[in-house]
Amino acid sequence: MGKLVVNLGERSYSLLIEKGILDQVGEKIRDIYNGKKLVIVTDEHVNKHYGNKIAENLKQCQYEVHRIVLPPGEETKSFQMLTEIYNQFLDCKLTRSDLIVALGGGVIGDLAGFAASTYLRGVPYVQIPTSLLSQVDSSVGGKVAVDLARGKNLVGSFYHPKLVLIDPNVLDTLEDRFFWDGMAEVIKYGCIKDVALFNELKGYQTKAQIMENIEQIIYRCCEIKKDIVEKDERDTGERMLLNFGHTLGHAIETFYQYKKYTHGEAVAIGMVEICKRAEEKGLTASSMVEEIKELVTQYHLPYRLELADITPVLDTIQLDKKNINNVLNVILLKHLGQSYIYETTIDFFKS
Ligand code: GLY
């Protein structure tokens, strides 16, 4: 089993990464929670595959199990749904000494985490991420949030889970498109911090080959993320490196109203496009665009923005919450595995 500890003093927690670990979910939770009541927050898709199995396992470990099943999709990450969740917490008389279990992808993790951070001013919670994207990124590091009509993740907090249980076997039920979506974030880790990981990824030709090595791939991504979070929990410095490809990626997602591209697809385009501009300005090694383009293509991800005029996409960058007083911190690569923060303005993208 792969075990990592995010060292944050009294807020430290473990990430356990192992195929089949969900068969021991009750036992693992018992190690960090000695109470009786817990409530699983999940969505209809994940519930269909894993809800009963996990609830039964928890009951066998003597837990009183409640379950909140929400509609799937980004629309669920709303204030309206949050109120619904709080009401269901009240219905099952959840107190601060009970536990919330977020079982799902990024939407559920962010939403249940935010509900946990705010209900009764904070209830402990556990993350069980079920998409590759959430296993390598959003379940680690304590960022929780809901969306507003004017943008994603605009209301949130930093609130760390007590435990993260990562079972790569759940990826078997993930649609291929969302598997490759998660691999975009894996590629990002190679780009920003680990050339060996990037080169290893070049060697895998199929999903089956990746799945044979998935435990150690997820482990490495989580290790990179936990190192960064330990140094910069509140996202004021090094943590921004995780945004490589994201400034443009978020703008692309917003421009297409989250319909045309998945998050990972938009990030893949963002990584290539940012490197293109950095290459033109001599701010990155000259091979970056070709290297990343080849790998994202191998992983069934797009790299080109199919728009004659990029201006409307750039307009949405100006509304991004990370664009403060027209200063943009974009992430560039010196070369593969070495990234840096570059302070610029929107004009950087207007080449
Ligand atoms: N997903 C980026 C971060 O956690 O900072």
Side-chain angles (χ1 to χ4, degrees), residues 86-319:
Y86 295 145
N87 279 323
Q88 294 205 38
F89 285 169
L90 289 169
D91 290 345
C92 61
K93 299 186 171 49
L94 193 76
T95 71
R96 291 172 65 170
S97 34
D98 300 322
L99 184 79
I100 294 166
V101 176
L103 170 68
V107 167
I108 289 295
D110 282 8
L111 176 67
F114 187 69
S117 80
T118 46
Y119 178 75
L120 305 181
R121 297 201 179 88
V123 178
Y125 78 115
V126 167
Q127 287 272 16
I128 305 182
T130 57
S131 65
L132 182 55
L133 197 73
S134 57
Q135 293 188 338
V136 296
D137 183 22
S138 58
S139 67
V140 180
K143 278 189 182 174
V144 293
V146 292
D147 300 338
L148 294 180
R150 287 160 67 179
K152 266 173 82 165
N153 297 332
L154 289 181
V155 180
S157 60
F158 292 94
Y159 189 67
H160 294 274
K162 296 290 175 205
L163 175 71
V164 184
L165 293 176
I166 300 177
D167 186 344
N169 280 347
V170 301
L171 304 179
D172 289 338
T173 52
L174 196 67
E175 257 177 64
D176 280 357
R177 185 175 180 201
F178 290 98
F179 181 78
W180 301 119
D181 170 61
M183 286 310 293
E185 292 284 354
V186 177
I187 293 170
K188 177 200 77 179
Y189 283 110
C191 291
I192 62 167
K193 283 283 177 187
D194 190 346
V195 64
L197 173 64
F198 190 93
N199 288 332
E200 178 189 327
L201 296 175
K202 286 204 239 176
Y204 302 129
Q205 302 302 328
T206 62
K207 181 176 171 183
Q209 283 173 355
I210 297 169
M211 282 304 286
E212 274 170 34
N213 298 282
I214 196 73
E215 274 175 327
Q216 52 100 2
I217 292 172
I218 295 173
Y219 184 94
R220 182 63 191 126
C221 295
C222 289
E223 187 176 39
I224 294 171
K225 181 149 187 189
K226 83 131 202 149
D227 285 347
I228 290 177
V229 168
E230 282 170 0
K231 286 189 205 125
D232 177 27
E233 184 188 350
R234 293 266 160 172
D235 202 9
T236 56
E238 182 156 353
R239 189 161 178 172
M240 288 186 220
L241 297 178
L242 296 169
N243 287 331
F244 175 55
H246 283 58
T247 304
L248 199 53
H250 282 151
I252 294 167
E253 284 183 278
T254 311
F255 176 74
Y256 287 107
Q257 298 175 318
Y258 304 94
K259 292 193 168 73
K260 187 170 164 75
Y261 297 109
T262 65
H263 176 71
E265 288 166 352
V267 166
I269 297 171
M271 291 191 290
V272 174
E273 290 288 342
I274 192 97
C275 283
K276 226 187 255 177
R277 283 155 181 80
E279 266 191 36
E280 284 160 11
K281 294 170 177 45
L283 293 167
T284 191
S286 59
S287 57
M288 288 307 89
V289 172
E290 275 316 304
E291 291 253 23
I292 301 172
K293 207 155 103 177
E294 256 176 52
L295 192 57
V296 299
T297 307
Q298 184 177 328
Y299 281 72
H300 309 277
L301 292 160
Y303 63 83
R304 204 195 334 250
L305 196 53
E306 283 151 10
L307 269 182
D309 179 14
I310 190 178
T311 314
V313 176
L314 299 188
D315 289 344
T316 69
I317 293 183
Q318 275 166 317
L319 300 175

